Amino acid sequence: MGMTDVLIVGAGPTGLVLACDLARRGVAVRIVDRSPAPPRTSRAKGPNPRSLEILDDLGVAEEVLAAGSAPLPMLKYRDRLPVAEADPWADAAPSPDAPYDRGWLIAQWRLEGILRDRLAGYGVHVEPGREVVGLTQGRNEGNEGDEDGGGHVDVAYADGQADRSRYVVGCDGAHSSVRKLLGIGFEGTTDEDQVMVCGDVDLTEGVLDRTLWHQWFDEDGAVMLCPIPGTRTGWWFQAGPERDGRGRPLAPTADGFRRLLAHHTALPGRALTRAELLSTYRVNVRMADRFRAGRVLLAGDAAHVHAIAGGLGMNTGIQDAFNLGWKLGLVLAGHADAKLLDTYEEERLPVAARTLDLTSERLRATLEAIRRPGGGLDTAITPDTTGLGIGYRWSSLAAGDRAPEAGKPGPGAGDRAPDAPCADATTGSRTRLHRVFAGPRTTVLGFGPGSAAVLRGAADAYGDAGVRICRVYAAHEDRAGAEPGAVVDDAGHAAAAYGTEASGRTGTGTVVVVRPDHHVGVVAPADDARSVREYLRRLHGTGRSAERAPGMVDAVR
């Protein structure tokens, strides 16, 4: 039986992002899904700004933007008449440190198709119709302490076939087989009263303005219709369910959708010409007790589910995958100790817990708002839902000074590393820091002339082992002899974002280590080479031996 490095179970957005990230690292990855064909689900309405940054890193953001549309203003009705219009994004604008100022509308199946195409470019294809029914973790004798020496997972499928893999990641949704096979608890609540019926529908062309998200909220129910980008007549339909004589929700049907449409809106039921992908959504708020059991990990809905308000379900899963991919990559390459994988749960479990609280609060606020004419889903959208503020200051991977001093600009260890427009120091062409970070490597940024020695030491020790160095020159600095990959902060945006303006002209300078998932690992003055060296050693091992790289020793004494 051949050995795969990582077997991913579940080919939704979470599994596909993880597969793309691992495949570009040269990891031997396979991805299986129990569905016989890619499901055309329409659940998630699209990536938030932080997920767009991740999709950009994977090289697919432009395609996602082209296939979708900007989020639409919301037109709200009461008693069939329009009463208010709201655009939650009216005041949002791109900024130098965050070029994506709003999420994007795209059908989930379309996003999955783009990610499958990107994955195919690495020679990896989703294996459909493969249902996992057994997981057995094995270890070869004599390898107790060496996780990658002898450990593996044997996987059994419903059709009697079997696989062996070094690691397995369950990205197989709220009803995760992987989680159940591990016996991991999924504590929480399901609110049987909080029910919504959903589906993809076609409406007769021209009956509703496709530049708006229409929302009818009445005393006795609601209908919401949002146009599906890339279609002429397709809409996402969400509504309070029809109920039977005892008040129990009825299952969704096309005729039921027509009755709801006729009851709440001024449109006739026959304007709805087709309804498919019908589903009932119940408010589930649950979280796995743990995200890792030995060599098996959980991500996305398999690890946490929460209220739909704010659209954070798919986004939290994509961000789980981006946190996990580089850690698996470094452990499998033999650079990092397998204990690095414990930081996945350490970082993502608190984020999931906070997301459960945030979405439940947004749902409560939204249900409160729609009781009044003019209230609507805009209540669910807050700066918290962009994902840009999520960091890991509590993490053991946030080295040194976790929180910047009060009033000190710039990110602390664990925070998202800001973006900034700049120019390539050798060619002068426009670029941005997130472009510099893109791809599966750790980045060491050096601000100020004093950072040169630390950058040189990092390049000597790790230059061909997954670490890139980038000297950030201020506009006034002499850049003769700039190394390839250096950038010029010609408008000062990088210095402003990283809070280094003060040190640039006078002090020693600053060195910032940015993890492969765009989070800051360490911020150190340029004369603190030890902090940088110890951090890189933790992620990337010892690099080349000291004898072969005397420059590193000199630079960091």
Side-chain angles (χ1 to χ4, degrees), residues 90-136:
D91 297 329
S95 58
D97 65 330
Y100 299 109
D101 62 316
R102 61 196 65 202
W104 209 247
L105 288 179
I106 180 172
Q108 183 175 325
W109 55 266
R110 185 79 183 81
L111 174 64
E112 289 172 2
I114 291 170
L115 288 167
R116 279 196 306 274
D117 289 348
R118 167 53 51 134
L119 189 57
Y122 298 112
V124 180
H125 300 271
V126 175
E127 299 170 43
R130 309 212 70 183
E131 184 180 356
V132 174
V133 294
L135 291 172
T136 313

Side-chain angles (χ1 to χ4, degrees), residues 53 93-100 416 418-421 432-434 491-494 496-497:
E53 292 183 343
S95 58
D97 65 330
Y100 299 109
R416 168 188 166 274
D419 201 355
R432 24 188 347 112
L433 288 183
H434 276 205
H493 291 305

